[in-house]
């Protein structure tokens, strides 16, 4: 016959004390949620990994990929603390955030050179003009401009295999604005992906392929793909540290961002993460093959963050053709587009 169980108040009190002790609370990880651009992902992931190591994994930073557009949808619904964005917040997204009472601090973190890539066996289109790229990508090209020799009679009579960022991507928005003249305006008969590595492999596997993606993915795969030199009227320019810093790689140089929910910024872990980001961005941005801003720019952005300067300096429009110096002048403005 089993013995009856006796209620032991002392044992229960000791158990509760253990469960609510500082050591137990510390073991329950705090989470910072980040999502958005696949282009900005390598930067923020590098920062997150280093931050977690510095905090001995007491804080968990999750970094997802859903494209800038997908990220802003989550951000403006208050589902994430920070959004990675490869272009400024758009008017429609500003309205969504405003209606949900989500305020944010806009922080440029680096520059990217959006890269047009071809297969190494392609010897004919190693440089292209903006007009040629527009002829390939504009909406009117769909189903009509399908062969290389339609762009230049000297090029092969072979089918162009196009791929690029998906339509939720800030890279897609920026590329179409810069090349076609209007964001989201392009042909639709191309292979889309929100994964830049898929695009790299698409180019690497077919000599007639052409794609666009962030510079970091090109640099990491130079043995598989070749960058196209872009001629915007002043000669053909390849993407590089020098051509981005001196402003000559146009119009495909662009700033990339994080946006921080102002309510989330009140949480000590988010505040600590953003401060860590700004203080370590210079080295980590270089490490993942992006172009860092000058040191004073990061100091300025940290000041804006600590002062909770909400809004955007871009008026809901893509920042096409902006140089690093011009970006910094914009960010030094006293007035943002406020709520």
């Amino acid at each position: 016959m089993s013995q009856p169980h006796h209620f032991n108040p002392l044992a229960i009190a000791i158990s509760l004390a253990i469960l609510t002790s500082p050591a137990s609370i510390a073991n329950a990880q705090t989470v910072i949620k980040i999502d958005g651009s696949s282009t900005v992902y390598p930067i923020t992931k590098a920062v997150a990994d280093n931050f977690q190591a510095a905090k001995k994994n007491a804080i968990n930073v999750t970094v997802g990929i859903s494209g800038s557009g997908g990220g802003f949808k989550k951000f403006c619904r208050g589902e994430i603390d920070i959004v990675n964005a490869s272009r400024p917040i758009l008017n429609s997204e500003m309205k969504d955030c405003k209606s949900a009472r989500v305020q944010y601090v806009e922080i440029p973190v680096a520059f990217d050179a959006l890269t047009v890539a071809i297969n190494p066996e392609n010897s004919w289109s190693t440089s292209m003009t903006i007009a040629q790229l527009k002829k390939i990508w504009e909406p009117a090209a769909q189903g009509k401009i399908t062969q290389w020799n339609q762009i230049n009679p000297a090029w092969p009579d072979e089918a162009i295999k196009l791929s690029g960022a998906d339509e939720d991507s800030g890279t897609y928005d920026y590329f179409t604005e810069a090349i076609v003249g209007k964001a989201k305006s392009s042909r639709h008969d191309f292979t889309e992906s929100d994964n830049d590595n898929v695009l790299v492999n698409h180019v690497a596997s077919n000599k007639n392929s052409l794609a666009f993606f962030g510079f970091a993915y090109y640099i990491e795969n130079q043995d598989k793909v070749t960058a196209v030199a872009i001629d915007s009227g002043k000669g053909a320019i390849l993407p590089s540290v020098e051509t981005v810093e001196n402003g000559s790689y146009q119009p495909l140089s662009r700033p990339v961002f994080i946006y921080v929910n102002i309510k989330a910024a009140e949480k000590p872990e988010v505040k600590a993460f953003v401060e860590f980001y700004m203080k370590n961005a210079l080295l980590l941005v270089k490490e993942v093959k992006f172009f860092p801003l000058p040191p004073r720019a990061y100091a300025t952005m940290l000041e804006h963050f600590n002062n909770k300067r909400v809004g955007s300096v871009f008026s809901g429009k893509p920042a096409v053709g902006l140089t690093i110096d011009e970006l910094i002048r914009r960010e030094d403005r006293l007035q943002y587009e406020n709520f």
Side-chain angles (χ1 to χ4, degrees):
M1 184 173 170
S2 62
Q3 296 296 315
H5 293 287
H6 295 288
F7 177 71
N8 187 336
L10 180 60
I12 297 219
I14 291 169
S15 298
L16 286 172
I18 291 168
L19 286 171
T20 56
S21 70
S24 295
I25 291 169
N27 288 334
Q29 277 191 323
T30 307
V31 178
I32 300 171
K33 294 181 181 177
I34 306 173
D35 208 321
S37 167
S38 62
T39 301
V40 188
Y41 172 85
I43 304 173
T44 300
K45 185 67 169 65
V47 174
D49 290 347
N50 281 269
F51 176 74
Q52 288 173 131
K55 297 294 181 183
K56 297 182 167 51
N57 293 318
I59 300 171
N60 181 25
V61 186
T62 63
V63 188
I65 296 175
S66 57
S68 298
F72 273 120
K73 286 186 180 81
K74 295 179 182 182
F75 184 74
C76 292
R77 290 196 296 258
E79 295 172 8
I80 56 176
D81 302 306
I82 297 170
V83 61
N84 290 326
S86 60
R87 45 105 176 131
I89 188 168
L90 302 177
N91 268 321
S92 59
E93 294 158 347
M94 292 169 89
K95 288 174 184 172
D96 288 343
C97 276
K98 188 174 182 178
S99 64
R101 297 182 183 276
V102 172
Q103 290 187 298
Y104 47 82
V105 179
E106 173 183 84
I107 303 177
V109 294
F111 251 68
D112 180 33
L114 211 165
T115 303
V116 177
I118 54 174
N119 186 281
E121 290 182 43
N122 178 336
S123 59
W124 56 90
S125 68
T126 52
S127 72
M128 299 182 75
T129 65
I130 301 301
Q132 287 172 328
L133 286 168
K134 181 179 180 181
K135 189 173 181 180
I136 292 171
W137 284 100
E138 64 187 346
Q142 184 161 327
K144 294 176 182 174
I145 304 299
T146 58
Q147 309 290 113
W148 285 106
N149 64 352
Q150 290 176 282
I151 308 304
N152 182 332
W155 293 355
D157 182 12
E158 294 179 22
I160 307 172
K161 303 292 184 184
L162 294 174
S163 60
D166 74 299
E167 294 177 27
D168 238 358
S169 164
T171 297
Y172 175 80
D173 292 344
Y174 187 93
F175 183 81
T176 49
E177 175 84 25
I179 298 302
V180 179
K182 184 181 178 184
K184 299 187 183 295
S185 176
S186 84
R187 66 192 300 162
H188 297 287
D189 53 346
F190 67 96
T191 301
E192 295 182 32
S193 180
D194 62 359
N195 186 329
D196 294 88
N197 289 311
V198 169
L199 302 177
V200 167
N201 291 330
H202 190 261
V203 173
S205 64
N206 191 306
K207 76 169 187 178
N208 284 304
S209 55
L210 177 79
F212 59 90
F213 41 77
F215 182 80
Y217 292 91
Y218 156 64
I219 283 292
E220 289 296 321
N221 296 280
Q222 288 181 86
D223 57 331
K224 297 179 183 176
V225 301
T226 299
V228 174
I230 305 299
D231 188 347
S232 59
K234 297 178 181 178
I237 305 289
L238 282 165
S240 70
V241 173
E242 182 185 1
T243 60
V244 170
E245 287 183 351
N246 68 22
S248 63
Y249 185 69
Q250 292 294 348
L252 296 180
S253 290
R254 57 175 178 162
V256 296
F257 307 83
I258 60 170
Y259 287 77
V260 186
N261 181 314
I262 203 70
K263 283 185 182 174
E266 292 171 4
K267 295 189 282 189
E269 64 273 16
V270 174
K271 187 174 189 296
F273 176 76
V274 175
E275 288 176 351
F276 184 91
Y277 205 133
M278 292 299 97
K279 289 173 182 175
N280 294 276
L282 194 70
L283 290 176
L284 293 176
V285 164
K286 281 184 182 176
E287 190 177 288
V288 292
K289 308 297 189 287
F290 281 76
F291 310 100
L293 304 177
R296 73 176 182 85
Y298 293 115
T300 298
M301 295 320 302
L302 181 54
E303 190 179 318
H304 292 343
F305 172 73
N306 286 329
N307 291 336
K308 297 182 178 177
R309 192 171 87 159
V310 299
S312 171
V313 294
F314 293 96
S315 306
K317 298 170 187 172
V320 172
L322 207 60
T323 66
I324 291 176
D325 286 343
E326 288 165 347
L327 171 72
I328 292 166
R329 281 199 295 274
R330 277 200 192 200
E331 291 298 344
D332 283 340
R333 282 184 195 169
L334 293 176
Q335 293 300 315
Y336 261 35
E337 300 292 328
N338 287 311
F339 288 87

